[in-house]
Amino acid sequence: MGQIALEGMEFFAFHGYYDEEQKIGNKYGVDLYITTDLHAAGASDRLHETVNYEILYRVVREEMLAPARLLEHLGYRVIDRVMEEFPYIESVQVSVSKFNPPLGGICHRARVTLDRQRSTD
């Protein structure tokens, strides 16, 4: 097993619990970690033997384009899509951050982290 990470992805998007947040938008950050078998790609040096980072990024970008009220919902959607696109991965962890959330004081970011293991049923 091994881990692939896409860290520090940033998007301007229109998420938020309040209608005003969905109108003006904000900057968001996403960190994505997947666990999968990397042995074949390590031995062969072939892209089709691993998870394509461009596809991972595209999945995250597409989910960030669709408005959501909660960071938790965004993270859930990203995990669902990654598990769907890559049925052979073992687990996914995603952190979604909202920069400068409207809390009435100084807060650099609000972040949620979700993870899921593929069931062995």
Side-chain angles (χ1 to χ4, degrees):
M1 284 297 132
Q3 183 182 77
I4 293 174
L6 295 183
E7 297 178 314
M9 293 180 277
E10 292 186 6
F11 304 91
F12 191 86
F14 298 89
H15 309 297
Y17 179 75
Y18 300 105
D19 291 341
E20 189 67 20
E21 291 180 279
Q22 293 200 348
K23 290 178 187 165
I24 63 173
N26 199 353
K27 187 169 120 179
Y28 294 83
V30 179
D31 297 316
L32 182 69
Y33 304 90
I34 65 163
T35 303
T36 191
D37 187 344
L38 298 177
H39 290 37
S44 72
D45 200 24
R46 293 189 178 132
L47 181 59
H48 72 274
E49 300 277 6
T50 190
V51 176
N52 186 320
Y53 310 159
E54 289 179 281
I55 296 173
L56 280 176
Y57 183 85
R58 177 184 50 81
V59 165
V60 173
R61 185 185 70 228
E62 288 173 359
E63 291 306 321
M64 291 303 291
L65 288 174
R69 296 278 182 194
L70 302 176
L71 298 179
E72 293 86 344
H73 184 68
L74 280 169
Y76 188 88
R77 285 191 341 216
V78 168
I79 288 174
D80 274 355
R81 283 284 309 283
V82 169
M83 295 288 238
E84 180 182 310
E85 293 273 341
F86 301 98
Y88 46 86
I89 64 171
E90 290 282 320
S91 67
V92 179
Q93 180 183 68
V94 64
S95 293
V96 182
S97 302
K98 176 189 287 190
F99 293 91
N100 302 308
L103 301 176
I106 296 172
C107 179
H108 295 279
R109 72 180 61 89
R111 175 184 297 155
V112 300
T113 301
L114 296 94
D115 53 46
R116 187 180 310 157
Q117 293 258 162
R118 190 169 301 281
S119 62
T120 58
D121 298 355

